[in-house]
Amino acid sequence: MSKKTYIVGITGGSASGKTLFLNRLRSAFSTDELTIISQDDYYKKREFQPLDERGVENFDTPFSIDSEAFARDIRALCEGRSVEKEEYTFNNPALTPKIHTYTPAPILIVEGIFVFYFPEIAKMLDLKIFLDAKEYIKLKRRIIRDRNERGYDIEDVLYRYENHVAPTYERYIEPFKNDADIIIPNNAHFDKALEVLTGFLRSKFGKDTK
């Protein structure tokens, strides 16, 4: 793997605000400077998802993700090869999947709730960032997102949060919080943290990321 690529892992609990943070970070760089690859595009098909005791698919476990394909595509980008991946639409029939094209860049952002958990991915990260938020704030964000983007009703959202999301955070995400190089509180805003990270990445590459 070429070390010309600087790999930043960004994680945090579900609805900790990663999407907004990543969109703001992306806007600070050109596509030639920075690429973001998302764990969300590596969910296994619905029929391969683990079931809970009520027979409900649990999309909030590490076993829901094709981590081997995720790691393979990260390595491909670091070797200078582009990657195409179909968007995962969380079984929302109202959405038509897009084809995401990831292109090599000096800075590669690897994001997802399990990027610290998977050893084959965690060992590739040069910088680890953990977005943190209070539980009630994450729940509010999750309700809004899952109703608007994924078509889940409120009872389904609350059931999944209590039985899937919260236990997964305690078992597979929070224990790796202390592995982070930077922890960013994201209960209200993250402007200062984003400014610091952007400045650091620019200084890291100097003229390569003007």
Side-chain angles (χ1 to χ4, degrees):
M1 181 184 303
S2 171
K3 289 311 291 181
K4 288 189 293 185
T5 303
Y6 190 77
I7 308 177
V8 181
I10 298 183
T11 194
S14 178
S16 58
K18 294 186 297 300
T19 299
L20 180 59
F21 184 85
L22 289 161
N23 286 341
R24 292 277 302 279
L25 180 62
R26 188 199 302 273
S27 69
F29 295 88
S30 72
T31 55
D32 292 333
E33 297 169 335
L34 180 145
T35 289
I36 299 175
I37 187 168
S38 174
Q39 172 198 286
D40 280 0
D41 288 330
Y42 291 84
Y43 276 92
K44 297 174 184 175
K45 293 182 179 180
R46 187 171 195 143
E47 57 265 32
F48 298 114
Q49 292 297 329
L51 304 178
D52 67 15
E53 59 186 16
R54 286 179 50 181
V56 177
E57 294 97 342
N58 186 350
F59 294 92
D60 291 283
T61 78
F63 315 106
S64 300
I65 306 297
D66 187 348
S67 61
E68 292 183 5
F70 193 22
R72 180 194 64 220
D73 286 351
I74 293 168
R75 288 191 292 268
L77 288 166
C78 292
E79 292 165 0
R81 294 181 281 126
S82 295
V83 170
E84 288 191 349
K85 186 69 178 173
E86 183 177 272
E87 175 188 26
Y88 193 83
T89 59
F90 293 88
N91 308 294
N92 187 338
L95 298 177
T96 300
K98 302 174 184 177
I99 299 298
H100 290 163
T101 300
Y102 303 113
T103 56
I107 302 169
L108 175 60
I109 307 296
V110 178
E111 75 90 7
I113 60 177
F114 300 122
V115 297
F116 291 6
Y117 174 82
F118 297 127
E120 66 270 32
I121 293 173
K123 68 183 181 183
M124 290 190 274
L125 305 178
D126 297 299
L127 180 68
K128 295 181 177 180
I129 297 174
F130 192 103
L131 264 66
D132 201 17
K134 294 178 180 178
E135 199 68 21
Y136 75 90
I137 293 176
K138 290 189 291 183
L139 176 57
K140 178 182 177 181
R141 291 171 178 165
R142 176 91 179 201
I143 291 171
I144 294 171
R145 184 196 70 188
D146 281 5
R147 290 180 66 186
N148 294 343
E149 297 180 14
R150 301 179 182 176
Y152 296 161
D153 61 38
I154 186 65
E155 290 184 5
D156 194 16
V157 175
L158 293 176
Y159 175 84
R160 290 178 184 277
Y161 199 90
E162 180 181 355
N163 294 281
H164 299 173
V165 177
T168 284
Y169 180 76
E170 293 175 0
R171 184 172 182 180
Y172 300 113
I173 302 171
E174 188 176 34
F176 296 91
K177 182 176 177 179
N178 290 334
D179 291 346
D181 300 298
I182 301 172
I183 298 174
I184 299 175
N186 188 25
N187 297 307
H189 58 81
F190 50 66
D191 293 349
K192 288 295 183 182
L194 180 65
E195 181 181 344
V196 170
L197 177 61
T198 301
F200 169 76
L201 291 176
R202 290 198 176 282
S203 67
K204 185 81 178 172
F205 289 91
K207 294 181 180 180
D208 291 336
T209 56
K210 283 184 178 178

